[in-house]
Amino acid sequence: MKTKAANFSANMHDVDYRRRYETVRMTSRSLMCIDGRDMESLDGRWNFTVDPYETCLRSRWFDEVYESADGRQLPVDFDFDRGGTMDVPSCWNMARPELFYYENMGVYSRTFRYERRRDDERLFLHFEGVAYRAYVFLNGVQVAMHDGASTPFSVEITDSVRRDNRLVVAVDASRSDRRVPMSNTDWFNYGGIYRSVYLVRTPAVFVRDFFIRLVPDSTFSHVALDFSVDGCGQGSAHLALRELGLEEDVVFSDGQGHAVFDVKPELWSPAGPKLYDVSLSVGDDEVHDRVGFREIRVEGMRILLNGEDVFLKGISVHEDDTELGKTTTEESIRRTIRLVKDDLHGVFIRLAHYPHSRLFSRIADEMGVLLWEEVPVYWAIAFDDDDTLADARNQLEELVLRDRNRASVIVWSVGNENPDTDERLAFMGALAARAREMDGTRCISAACLVNEVELRIEDRLSSVLDIIGLNEYYGWYKPDFSELGRLIDNSAPDRPVVISECGADARYGNHGTIYMKWTEEAQAEVYRRQVDEISRTDYIRGMTPWILYDFRAPRRQNIWQEGFNRKGLVDSDRVHRKMAFDVLAGFYESII
Ligand code: GCB
């Protein structure tokens, strides 16, 4: 047995220090549904310090011990009330030039005052997005840890909150091969508390979660409700959907309730994004939402929206802004949706490659655009690692619970461009099954690769998907464009295909011939040829070319790229359109 040296100091010699902080892991079982709740924002200016050696964890900064037992001042290495600050939400990379490539730990702190409003009040801290790992401490006690940069988590702090509180959040943005995504991606690894933080108040008994949707039986006349109640096993909840004349009590037991109602809502669609006010109450708690009802399903080789054949005229989008990074605003989401609907004549957006802001799907519901949402199971994840699978599954669950009342979301994508190995099939097959189990009202997809040897659409994962997403770069990575025609003719998929990516790079303002890579002309030519091939192929039922805006990608460093992927139809300034924009817009306008 090993003995510790007499001069052992955990702070300096404990290589296993992280493990102690991994036991309070928050998962999809924490409070995901915050729409229509009583909330206060904790956004604003927080105290911030870089902590590349993770001294906050090793030396327990959060204990805030400033004096020895006999009252003498101790030297401490942190300063929670003075020093640097950082906006929450924001990506620290955007705040100061020296933080641009910073990918380690950053320690945030702030104080807040809490006044209880009712005796039985419960209080939760809710984070909408912290990249990538968050360790949360309240008044010196660790209350949470969470993995996953793009999904929310909550932690109940009813028992640890005081009137005056100190909140410390240590954020680890490092990349690793066991994470989701892993260390190699074609986008920028922004770090920090980059989405909003809230305090959420509930009574002792509250609606933890509810899922309301049209039953996909093609009669458009049944609405199903599932909900769970926290704090009470048996009782009844009250559903109000007044515009449809629905006011019903629904019993629940073991905290779970389910009911189906005969009602015929006006259907939600991009052309008519009708939303209804829905509220569900139990005891003193009431949650509200604005919900659309629509049906999406696959029949044979067709994708049917409300029973009608639809070609998914789409475009892919990253959550990347030259000034804000991954932090986004309502205004910018609205501008993107307007650009897609009004100018590109599209109806569909692929939110690649990770869950985008919660606001996106809420605004999409209201403005009327269809969405593909995805988890960052990107390229070569550690498919043989159980912890990686648990992380990916949890991110998927958090996304589904956050967004399953959103009519705009029609596809859950379980990943992008992964090698067709046995381990990947088991890993992503499990994710597809989980998505289907949680939500049988949407299509499951993934962006797959082609069999390049046989030049055929072939991926073993297809058997568990409703729609085969296909990434192909004929005219760019594959310079022989004629291969696309052969690939299409060689393939006989048994379900609809959506071209989830195609495209080419061009630097805005760089002109030349169609044979000169990086020019707008060459990019436009790739779009012309893609559109010709795709439009002659019956089994291709939509496309989301890569991509609407140029975006940051550190692996792209030639003189045209300068740290950006330039496959955008629009420059990274989100203003200047390249020639290919009009090619795609013309194609979409020609399709009814
Ligand atoms: C892909 C990836 C996407 C890349 C894109 C590219 O296939 O899915 O993340 O950014 O290609 O530009 O190479």
Side-chain angles (χ1 to χ4, degrees), residues 12 28 94 101 157 173 188 221 235 238 253 317 330 333 340 409 435 438 444 454 456 472 519 525 537 557 575:
M12 289 183 270
S28 59
M94 299 288 97
Y101 282 121
I157 54 170
F188 196 92
S221 56
H238 185 76
S253 58
V317 175
E330 180 171 342
I333 294 169
V340 172
V409 179
M438 291 179 75
I444 311 295
E454 312 263 334
R456 213 174 31 229
E472 51 87 358
T519 63
E525 178 64 6
T537 312
Q557 293 297 346
V575 175

Side-chain angles (χ1 to χ4, degrees), residues 184-243:
N184 188 26
T185 65
D186 192 27
W187 70 85
F188 196 92
N189 180 32
Y190 293 105
I193 306 179
Y194 72 99
R195 292 183 184 152
S196 291
V197 184
Y198 298 101
L199 281 175
V200 184
R201 294 170 194 260
T202 73
V205 175
F206 69 97
V207 179
R208 170 166 280 275
D209 175 43
F210 78 105
F211 179 26
I212 188 160
R213 71 281 178 190
L214 196 67
V215 177
D217 59 6
S218 298
T219 67
F220 314 118
S221 56
H222 304 109
V223 164
L225 168 75
D226 281 279
F227 62 98
S228 57
V229 174
D230 196 303
C232 171
Q234 322 267 358
S236 82
H238 185 76
L239 175 74
L241 217 169
R242 296 204 177 85
E243 214 183 319

Side-chain angles (χ1 to χ4, degrees), residues 207-368:
V207 179
R208 170 166 280 275
D209 175 43
F210 78 105
F211 179 26
I212 188 160
R213 71 281 178 190
L214 196 67
V215 177
D217 59 6
S218 298
T219 67
F220 314 118
S221 56
H222 304 109
V223 164
L225 168 75
D226 281 279
F227 62 98
S228 57
V229 174
D230 196 303
C232 171
Q234 322 267 358
S236 82
H238 185 76
L239 175 74
L241 217 169
R242 296 204 177 85
E243 214 183 319
L244 288 174
L246 198 63
E247 289 262 6
E248 296 271 349
D249 289 332
V250 186
V251 295
F252 60 88
S253 58
D254 293 331
Q256 307 292 321
H258 170 78
V260 177
F261 309 99
D262 294 340
V263 276
K264 232 178 166 24
E266 183 185 321
L267 298 178
W268 181 99
S269 72
K274 169 71 185 162
L275 297 178
Y276 289 91
D277 279 322
V278 176
S279 72
L280 188 66
S281 51
V282 53
D284 289 345
D285 189 41
E286 182 165 279
V287 285
H288 301 267
D289 206 347
R290 304 256 306 145
V291 178
F293 298 99
R294 54 100 194 93
E295 184 186 86
I296 187 79
R297 68 190 180 86
V298 161
E299 191 179 273
M301 301 303 288
R302 299 181 311 154
I303 301 171
L304 303 177
L305 175 66
N306 298 331
E308 284 175 23
D309 202 1
V310 61
F311 182 88
L312 297 174
K313 301 186 272 184
I315 188 74
S316 298
V317 175
H318 253 297
E319 193 170 50
D320 185 279
D321 181 285
T322 28
E323 262 136 56
L324 301 177
K326 256 175 80 63
T327 299
T328 193
T329 62
E330 180 171 342
E331 214 275 307
S332 123
I333 294 169
R334 286 187 187 279
R335 233 183 311 123
T336 295
I337 296 178
R338 271 199 299 273
L339 184 65
V340 172
K341 279 195 82 171
D342 301 348
D343 297 4
L344 198 60
H345 308 289
V347 290
F348 185 46
I349 301 179
R350 175 181 178 208
L351 300 180
H353 284 297
Y354 39 73
H356 287 217
S357 156
R358 187 177 70 93
L359 287 181
F360 208 113
S361 51
R362 271 91 194 140
I363 298 171
D365 268 15
E366 180 204 316
M367 294 179 71

Side-chain angles (χ1 to χ4, degrees), residues 343-344 504-516 518-528 531 547-548 550 566-571 575-587:
D343 297 4
L344 198 60
D505 282 69
R507 180 74 182 248
Y508 169 74
N510 180 33
H511 291 286
T513 70
I514 59 169
Y515 304 105
M516 294 163 71
W518 314 104
T519 63
E520 289 194 36
E521 284 76 3
Q523 186 192 37
E525 178 64 6
V526 167
Y527 269 79
R528 260 179 235 114
V531 158
I547 188 169
L548 186 57
D550 289 355
R566 300 283 178 193
K567 292 192 187 66
L569 294 175
V570 181
D571 194 8
V575 175
H576 292 100
R577 297 180 192 179
K578 304 177 197 172
M579 294 163 69
F581 188 100
D582 290 339
V583 177
L584 189 63
F587 173 56

Side-chain angles (χ1 to χ4, degrees), residues 186 353 378-379 416-417 471 473 477 501 546 551 556 565 567:
D186 192 27
H353 284 297
Y378 185 86
W379 291 352
N416 179 79
E417 278 189 3
N471 289 2
Y473 279 95
Y477 297 119
E501 286 179 35
W546 197 249
F551 61 96
R556 311 282 181 181
N565 183 312
K567 292 192 187 66

Side-chain angles (χ1 to χ4, degrees), residues 100-116:
F100 186 66
Y101 282 121
Y102 186 67
E103 294 188 299
N104 297 96
M105 185 165 280
V107 180
Y108 292 76
S109 64
R110 64 162 289 157
T111 55
F112 68 91
R113 174 157 286 186
Y114 167 64
E115 313 269 1
R116 199 174 291 274

